[in-house]
Amino acid sequence: MRISVRCNYRSKMADLLGSILNSMEKPPTVGDQESRRKAREQAARLKKMEEMEKRKKAEFRKKMEKEVSDFIQDSSQQKRKYNPMGKIERSILHDVAEVAGLTSFSFGEDEESRYVMLFKKEFAPSDEELEAYRKGEKWDPKVAEQRRRLKEQAALEEAASAEAEEAQACPNSNYRDKYSHLIGTSAAKDAAHTLEANRTYGCVPVANKRDTRSIEEAMNAIRAKKRQKREDDSGPQSSGGGSS
């Protein structure tokens, strides 16, 4: 009887121990240990790179602050051009310049050739100067002034040429004054009807003129009218004299 009880007790203890062992976490395999080790190493490298990048940015900013300060104190410099640099470095330089009260611009077509220029506030660049830098040209104030004067001269010449063409297309001649010594003021007024310009629409076409005769024909007609008038006036006088 005692032997049977002991066997049952041992069997129960073995089952309890087995259940405990089964509930415990299994030890990691060799593959899991390697993966965890690589993950820890990668995280450590990433953290080290971030700290290094942060340290480089701080060093670069400190260097730019020193150069910008020297540039402000140098009264002989109005602007300063930097060598091409990366986007992060340009951003830091722009921020330093803004804090220092300077004007800054980036120029260059592609990312590899982009560079920064600093300008003191009292020597801020004009639109023409900025356009030259954007085109990759060298800015020369003397050359720019010559170009400006040439443009102004060309504009004046173009305006004068337009006025001359307009005056030639519609002459402003006063034929009444021109021929008044030949045919009188009133006769010249009648003759000038054929040549008077319409001020609203410019020169009147030949088809719209009141009289298409030439000046000579008009003058001859006026002289004939004068002679006829003199003859009419002298007719009654001569007839009256004969009766007396």
Side-chain angles (χ1 to χ4, degrees), residues 87-130:
K87 185 176 182 180
I88 297 177
E89 287 77 8
R90 294 198 307 271
S91 177
I92 294 174
L93 182 53
H94 283 304
D95 185 61
V96 172
E98 183 179 0
V99 173
L102 301 177
T103 303
S104 62
F105 295 92
S106 292
F107 303 102
E109 295 182 357
D110 49 20
E111 186 64 26
E112 289 75 13
S113 63
R114 298 282 288 179
Y115 63 93
V116 177
M117 287 191 69
L118 303 182
F119 299 86
K120 294 180 179 178
K121 290 290 186 179
E122 59 271 24
F123 302 106
S126 61
D127 294 338
E128 292 81 4
E129 184 175 359
L130 292 176

Side-chain angles (χ1 to χ4, degrees), residues 135-149:
K135 293 180 179 179
E137 300 176 355
K138 185 178 180 180
W139 171 252
D140 190 341
K142 295 182 179 179
V143 174
E145 181 64 19
Q146 292 177 356
R147 291 179 179 176
R148 186 185 63 81
R149 292 180 178 179

Side-chain angles (χ1 to χ4, degrees), residues 9-187:
Y9 177 77
R10 289 177 181 178
S11 177
K12 290 180 180 180
M13 290 297 296
D15 294 339
L16 178 61
L17 181 61
S19 62
I20 294 174
L21 291 175
N22 291 331
S23 63
M24 293 178 62
E25 184 179 357
K26 295 182 179 180
T29 61
V30 177
D32 294 337
Q33 292 178 351
E34 185 67 18
S35 298
R36 293 179 182 178
R37 184 184 64 80
K38 289 182 178 180
R40 288 193 298 270
E41 291 178 353
Q42 185 176 2
R45 286 195 300 269
L46 182 60
K47 184 177 181 180
K48 186 176 181 180
M49 290 175 61
E50 291 177 350
E51 292 176 352
M52 186 181 299
E53 188 70 21
K54 186 176 181 179
R55 184 172 63 253
K56 286 182 178 180
K57 290 180 180 179
E59 293 176 354
F60 181 80
R61 186 181 185 89
K62 186 176 181 180
K63 178 182 177 182
M64 291 299 101
E65 289 176 347
K66 176 66 169 57
E67 293 185 3
V68 168
S69 178
D70 295 341
F71 168 66
I72 294 175
Q73 296 176 7
D74 190 353
S75 59
S76 64
Q77 292 188 8
Q78 301 178 1
K79 56 190 175 183
R80 182 165 187 177
K81 178 180 178 181
Y82 284 84
N83 293 326
M85 59 182 65
K87 185 176 182 180
I88 297 177
E89 287 77 8
R90 294 198 307 271
S91 177
I92 294 174
L93 182 53
H94 283 304
D95 185 61
V96 172
E98 183 179 0
V99 173
L102 301 177
T103 303
S104 62
F105 295 92
S106 292
F107 303 102
E109 295 182 357
D110 49 20
E111 186 64 26
E112 289 75 13
S113 63
R114 298 282 288 179
Y115 63 93
V116 177
M117 287 191 69
L118 303 182
F119 299 86
K120 294 180 179 178
K121 290 290 186 179
E122 59 271 24
F123 302 106
S126 61
D127 294 338
E128 292 81 4
E129 184 175 359
L130 292 176
E131 185 65 21
Y133 293 140
R134 292 189 182 100
K135 293 180 179 179
E137 300 176 355
K138 185 178 180 180
W139 171 252
D140 190 341
K142 295 182 179 179
V143 174
E145 181 64 19
Q146 292 177 356
R147 291 179 179 176
R148 186 185 63 81
R149 292 180 178 179
L150 290 175
K151 288 182 179 180
E152 291 181 353
Q153 183 178 357
L156 292 175
E157 292 178 354
E158 184 177 356
S161 177
E163 292 179 359
E165 291 179 358
E166 183 179 356
Q168 185 177 3
C170 184
N172 191 18
S173 300
N174 193 334
Y175 290 95
R176 289 175 292 183
D177 297 336
K178 184 176 181 180
Y179 293 100
S180 60
H181 66 287
L182 296 175
I183 57 178
T185 303
S186 60

